[in-house]
Amino acid sequence: MHKKPLSKQIYDARWCYLFVLPCSILTGMFVIYPIGMSWYFSLLDWSGFTKEAKFIGLQNYYEAVNDEFFWDAFIRSFIFMFGTVPVKIVLGFIIAVFLNNQVLKLAPFFRTVIFMPVVTAIAIIGIVMTFVFSPFNGPANKFLMSTNLTSAPIDFLGNPDTVLPTVMGVYVWKWLGITMMYWLAALQTVPQDVYDAAKIDGAEGYRLWIHIILPIVLPFAIVIILVEAVGALNVFPLIETMTAGGPFFSSEVMEIYIFRTAFVTDSGTMPRLGYACAAGVFWGVAVLFITVLQGLWMRRTRRI
Amino acid sequence: MKKKKELKISRRTVMKGALAAGAMMSAGSIPSKLFAGEYNIPDPLKPLPTTGGNMRWIDSGDMKGVFWKKLFPEYAASRGITIEYDGLPWKEINKIVPIAIRNGTVHDVFQLPLGMDPGVAVAEGWVQPWDDYIESIDEWLAAFPSGVYLPGVNQFNGKTYGTCLTANKRTGTCLLYSEKYMSEAGYDPQAGRMTYSEIRDAAKKITKNGNGQYYGWIIGGNQVNRWEDVVHTFGQVGGAHSGRGGFTNRHINFQNGKFQIASDQYMEAVELLLQLKSDGSAFPGVMSMNAPQARALMPQGAAGMIFQGPWCIGVWGRDAPNWKYGIASEPVPDGKEAQPLYIAEGGSNTFWLSANSTMGPFAGDLIRFMGTEQGQIYWAQTVGAADPAVNPDAVAKAGLTGPSAQALSMFAENILVGPNPIVRNKDVGIVAAKSRVPDPSLALVIQGLYTGQLKGVEAQLKDCNQRYEDALDKAVEEARADGANVTRDDWVFPNWDVYSNYGAEKYQEL
């Protein structure tokens, strides 16, 4: 059969292209263009708001990979991800299993309560949590002291040993509701017939969940893990409002590092947008790499 | 049966009505603006646009904000405009202003981020001169003390780009203390400058007396510049003579042009902070609070001492008028005489007019008024020692008393004008534009030492000093490559007598 020329194919599908056009323009303006410009800026020695910008090739990249604070922040981002995603996945699943039970009459209420932090502004949560964890009259310390769990207040956000776990805990609490909703959506795809058939076959309790329900929702789990992992690498507003990366870089993740180098710091002097862009591009590629790996894992799981 | 509604008129309502009626009747004979508020704002020297508009203003707040919030509504009403004021901590100014400049939405009047060279702002075209908007500007400038308006500092190309209403003769690390706690500990800072040992002992005793309810000392530790300010000023008091201001001035001993970060005096100051911590005298949680939060805890009785600036006076006077506190000079290392502190010439709180602003006539009219003696008196009466008005006659007429007056007299006694390399050679401004504070900065190093993440005060400060030397060398090198006529010798002032002001005649001697 004779294939239509490309121009004819495009003409025939002109309405489709027309409808795609607005989205393409917006994507180009707000996604493609900024990405392209950040690649270009990463090759410049440029503060970001002066006229003077010098092309320096890959020097910013060279400097970034030789900066111990860059790698500390890089690793800390992954510590944050590995510390929060499994907790959210497991907790979210357990809560979803309980709240998916039709017998539980208060399920909608609990769902709402757990979901409420998700719809609360993250900056507000960050600021409120600095008061919650304050060593002076903060409710967390008051509780610990009144129950004799500690004899002296703990400086949760000021101690380099406790700051990251504390922020991770707040992050899990803040976003647990959305993980729960993902799981609920996944569980609701399991037909009632499956539960009934399992019951007839005598599968109950953990066996029902491990051997029957879990294999059915496993493909969803991969997607949820992917979404959660990428989410846990984007935690700028929470950390900026709670600790701004301190004390002494203890909670500085990659986004805070990029922000710090892109703008004027407490110490003054000119910011380094070019360098920050190089760090950002490097970081973006790393996240993309992880996403691709997870995508491959998902495909493999589906084949199984 | 439905109860008949009674008409009740309270005595207060009657009085309000009578006052309003009286005001209306006398409005014809008394200028109406006296009823509008507490400030007598003069008419503009030349007609202002009648188109109105909204003027946006951003600065570092504190007591400035308290004053502006009282003055701005009255000024705006008198000129038929609106004013949107944002008073934010420096940490926020440092982030917001560069972003706003970058995207063209900076406020009409703003302060430059800390450490940013004004020459860059002028060269980049972010700001416009005030000359066209301040009527008879030469006459207006002549009324300011000498050394406030200087080429290379706030004047460029023969025009005035930055306006200063306040003096920079102040420190941000005075000893502010609870009279009650300090007295119970057996100390009176008013009797004379305290030594490091006395500070440490007083902090221990206050903590012991507090029995877990309050502590000896507090600092806003997550605001990293606080660490640097304390060590820098204490180091100066101990005898590490060095400049203040941006990276190209701060910590540099102008006798030899070298950074002082690894000096014994800086080390002693850091050790004092670490000892306050190891003694258990530091308020638990200092690392998770900023300076305003730490300051707010003092009147609540959380701590006995804080090293902070005179801006606390106004805030505490407003928020905790019954709390008894004292202000004293920074402590001195044991067995040493307190040495002078130095400021560079020029004023403080420099206001810049955005190049994109269309509100220049109003901003200029307001700044002009604030530079007059009456404006300065108004400023001094509200802001006090927090940001001292630049006109000394106005300060004298403002009738300040108590801690504000004491702070001003303390500053007059302790602070001298030191050399300023940019006044000597304007190309130093190019170096400032090229310079980058090395990572980690001194502020972060001290924070790291305090949290225990860094070990060895001497080694860390020596490393830090070397980083600063290298960073300045690199900036000088880059500036020279761009054609600047500058060397590290521009930071050496061999004729600097550390016990006297460094004035215009000294620059001429060089």
Side-chain angles (χ1 to χ4, degrees):
Chain A
M1 194 179 126
H2 179 67
K3 197 177 173 186
K4 286 182 190 172
L6 183 63
S7 56
K8 175 72 178 154
Q9 285 180 48
I10 291 172
Y11 181 78
D12 288 348
R14 59 189 179 281
W15 287 110
C16 300
Y17 286 110
L18 189 66
F19 287 125
V20 166
L21 193 63
C23 184
S24 304
I25 291 171
L26 291 174
T27 306
M29 282 168 63
F30 297 111
V31 180
I32 308 295
Y33 176 75
I35 289 174
M37 290 311 286
S38 68
W39 289 345
Y40 171 63
F41 292 158
S42 72
L43 306 173
L44 304 177
D45 179 14
W46 185 39
S47 68
F49 60 111
T50 58
K51 289 175 193 131
E52 188 190 356
K54 195 162 72 182
F55 183 82
I56 53 169
L58 296 175
Q59 207 172 304
N60 283 328
Y61 290 92
Y62 178 78
E63 193 183 335
V65 297
N66 284 292
D67 179 9
E68 60 175 310
F69 296 102
F70 171 84
W71 287 113
D72 287 347
F74 194 92
I75 292 165
R76 216 171 277 121
S77 282
F78 284 101
I79 291 172
F80 195 97
M81 186 187 84
F82 286 116
T84 55
V85 173
V87 177
K88 280 180 72 191
I89 296 289
V90 173
L91 262 182
F93 181 71
I94 293 170
I95 293 168
V97 166
F98 278 105
L99 299 185
N100 194 42
N101 191 338
Q102 304 299 321
V103 180
L104 192 64
K105 295 295 174 203
L106 285 174
F109 170 75
F110 286 116
R111 273 204 292 266
T112 308
V113 168
I114 293 166
F115 197 75
M116 267 168 66
V118 174
V119 293
T120 309
I122 196 156
I124 301 293
I125 284 184
I127 291 163
V128 168
M129 285 299 164
T130 59
F131 294 108
V132 169
F133 289 106
S134 165
F136 187 72
N137 290 337
N141 269 303
K142 271 190 173 173
F143 170 77
L144 291 173
M145 304 256 302
S146 63
T147 52
N148 289 325
L149 287 169
T150 58
S151 56
I154 298 169
D155 192 359
F156 287 101
L157 299 176
N159 184 330
D161 298 326
T162 54
V163 61
L164 201 57
T166 305
V167 179
M168 285 158 73
V170 173
Y171 175 82
V172 168
W173 169 79
K174 156 81 178 146
W175 293 110
L176 186 63
I178 200 88
T179 319
M180 174 196 76
M181 294 307 271
Y182 292 151
W183 278 122
L184 277 172
L187 289 172
Q188 281 164 17
T189 63
V190 180
Q192 188 58 38
D193 305 357
V194 175
Y195 290 98
D196 296 341
K199 264 186 194 167
I200 291 165
D201 291 343
E204 282 185 282
Y206 81 94
R207 288 183 183 202
L208 169 72
W209 288 100
I210 299 292
H211 297 296
I212 296 174
I213 307 300
L214 205 56
I216 295 173
V217 298
L218 195 59
F220 291 97
I222 309 295
V223 177
I224 295 170
I225 290 169
L226 175 69
V227 171
E228 295 291 350
V230 173
L233 296 172
N234 294 287
V235 289
F236 174 78
L238 185 65
I239 296 189
E240 179 62 17
T241 48
M242 284 185 76
T243 68
F248 193 69
F249 309 105
S250 312
S251 57
E252 186 176 82
V253 293
M254 269 309 291
E255 289 177 305
I256 301 287
Y257 177 89
I258 293 165
F259 183 75
R260 182 167 65 84
T261 48
F263 301 101
V264 177
T265 64
D266 278 326
S267 308
T269 74
M270 298 292 268
R272 303 181 65 196
L273 193 72
Y275 179 79
C277 282
V281 168
F282 195 98
W283 176 240
V285 171
V287 174
L288 187 68
F289 181 69
I290 292 161
T291 313
V292 169
L293 279 184
Q294 282 183 314
L296 292 174
W297 179 37
M298 191 159 68
R299 283 177 64 179
R300 197 171 158 217
T301 310
R302 276 186 182 154
R303 275 197 210 116
I304 293 167
Chain B
M1 198 177 112
K2 199 172 182 181
K3 197 177 172 185
K4 194 179 171 186
K5 196 176 177 184
E6 289 179 88
L7 177 65
K8 284 187 179 173
I9 301 176
S10 70
R11 195 173 53 173
R12 184 171 292 180
T13 311
V14 172
M15 286 173 74
K16 274 184 188 170
L19 275 172
M24 280 191 290
M25 280 191 292
S26 52
S29 56
I30 298 172
S32 59
K33 58 189 163 195
L34 284 187
F35 285 98
E38 60 186 288
Y39 301 114
N40 188 9
I41 299 167
D43 291 333
L45 289 186
K46 67 175 182 182
L48 293 170
T50 53
T51 48
N54 180 44
M55 181 160 73
R56 295 169 63 233
W57 188 297
I58 187 170
D59 65 29
S60 58
D62 276 329
M63 286 308 291
K64 286 191 292 294
V66 174
F67 176 70
W68 291 138
K69 281 175 188 170
K70 287 200 286 183
L71 178 77
F72 280 167
E74 287 190 39
Y75 177 81
S78 73
R79 302 295 192 256
I81 59 169
T82 55
I83 302 180
E84 192 182 322
Y85 173 67
D86 293 311
L88 299 172
W90 276 111
K91 195 174 176 180
E92 302 304 320
I93 300 261
N94 288 349
K95 289 173 191 165
I96 288 169
V97 170
I99 297 170
I101 288 173
R102 193 176 293 170
N103 63 24
T105 60
V106 74
H107 292 61
D108 295 286
V109 181
F110 62 94
Q111 286 185 299
L112 282 172
L114 286 175
M116 184 168 287
D117 176 45
V120 175
V122 174
E124 292 289 332
W126 302 334
V127 291
Q128 54 178 318
W130 289 97
D131 300 50
D132 294 340
Y133 304 117
I134 295 178
E135 192 64 15
S136 310
I137 190 165
D138 292 335
E139 192 186 315
W140 184 79
L141 288 171
F144 285 85
S146 65
V148 174
Y149 287 92
L150 290 168
V153 176
N154 38 33
Q155 294 180 320
F156 301 86
N157 312 318
K159 300 214 171 209
T160 301
Y161 281 81
T163 50
C164 301
L165 303 172
T166 55
N168 59 359
K169 210 168 194 177
R170 61 169 192 179
T171 67
T173 53
C174 312
L175 168 62
L176 292 143
Y177 58 92
S178 156
E179 277 187 1
K180 180 173 178 278
Y181 293 168
M182 200 60 117
S183 153
E184 284 169 357
Y187 283 97
D188 177 15
Q190 300 304 320
R193 203 187 274 261
M194 289 179 78
T195 64
Y196 284 6
S197 294
E198 286 171 338
I199 287 283
R200 202 176 158 190
D201 186 56
K204 272 190 204 170
K205 285 179 176 159
I206 292 170
T207 306
K208 191 178 170 198
N209 293 341
N211 195 26
Q213 297 304 303
Y214 54 85
Y215 294 81
W217 168 74
I218 194 169
I219 187 171
N222 82 357
Q223 190 174 318
V224 294
N225 69 307
R226 294 308 309 158
W227 298 104
E228 182 173 351
D229 288 350
V230 169
V231 169
H232 180 206
T233 313
F234 285 22
Q236 283 189 319
V237 172
H241 307 294
S242 61
R244 301 184 82 81
F247 174 70
T248 52
N249 274 28
R250 201 163 56 219
H251 310 302
I252 295 177
N253 181 349
F254 295 119
Q255 289 169 317
N256 57 20
K258 300 286 182 190
F259 282 97
Q260 292 288 290
I261 291 168
S263 64
D264 291 345
Q265 293 85 354
Y266 274 54
M267 285 187 210
E268 283 175 311
V270 175
E271 291 289 2
L272 172 66
L273 300 176
L274 301 188
Q275 284 160 353
L276 287 169
K277 183 192 179 189
S278 63
D279 290 344
S281 305
F283 180 82
V286 294
M287 294 312 303
S288 51
M289 67 180 71
N290 59 25
Q293 286 167 334
R295 177 177 66 207
L297 285 172
M298 284 290 291
Q300 293 178 39
M305 293 183 276
I306 188 170
F307 303 128
Q308 262 274 10
W311 43 83
C312 296
I313 296 170
V315 178
W316 288 339
R318 183 193 62 198
D319 298 342
N322 298 321
W323 180 59
K324 301 281 183 216
Y325 67 93
I327 184 166
S329 297
E330 288 82 357
V332 64
D334 295 17
K336 287 187 180 167
E337 284 283 316
Q339 299 295 303
L341 304 168
Y342 308 97
I343 51 166
E345 285 194 84
S348 64
N349 289 304
T350 309
F351 294 113
W352 306 88
L353 180 62
S354 164
N356 300 327
S357 175
T358 55
M359 299 300 283
F362 297 100
D365 173 55
L366 177 57
I367 288 284
R368 191 203 58 77
F369 165 58
M370 287 311 303
T372 62
E373 186 174 87
Q374 185 57 63
Q376 289 275 291
I377 290 172
Y378 285 151
W379 178 280
Q381 283 170 340
T382 298
V383 182
D387 271 312
V390 72
N391 182 337
D393 295 336
V395 174
K397 287 178 184 170
L400 296 178
T401 55
S404 274
Q406 193 191 342
L408 288 175
S409 112
M410 215 163 70
F411 298 149
E413 195 179 318
N414 298 340
I415 302 174
L416 296 173
V417 175
N420 188 354
I422 204 165
V423 176
R424 177 191 202 176
N425 179 359
K426 66 179 175 49
D427 281 4
V428 167
I430 302 173
V431 177
K434 301 274 180 197
S435 62
R436 290 174 194 139
V437 172
D439 221 1
S441 64
L442 174 61
L444 283 163
V445 166
I446 302 166
Q447 193 193 44
L449 285 165
Y450 188 86
T451 60
Q453 290 162 278
L454 296 178
K455 306 286 180 200
V457 174
E458 188 176 353
Q460 291 297 339
L461 292 189
K462 277 185 175 165
D463 280 356
C464 186
N465 196 72
Q466 191 56 51
R467 283 197 296 275
Y468 275 60
E469 288 287 351
D470 294 345
L472 186 55
D473 283 343
K474 187 167 178 255
V476 169
E477 208 174 289
E478 286 177 10
R480 285 174 64 85
D482 280 4
N485 183 17
V486 63
T487 69
R488 281 293 295 262
D489 288 343
D490 287 313
W491 278 262
V492 181
F493 292 79
N495 63 345
W496 181 30
D497 170 12
V498 294
Y499 298 108
S500 61
N501 287 313
Y502 199 93
E505 71 288 354
K506 293 279 188 183
Y507 288 101
Q508 283 162 6
E509 279 174 21
L510 291 169

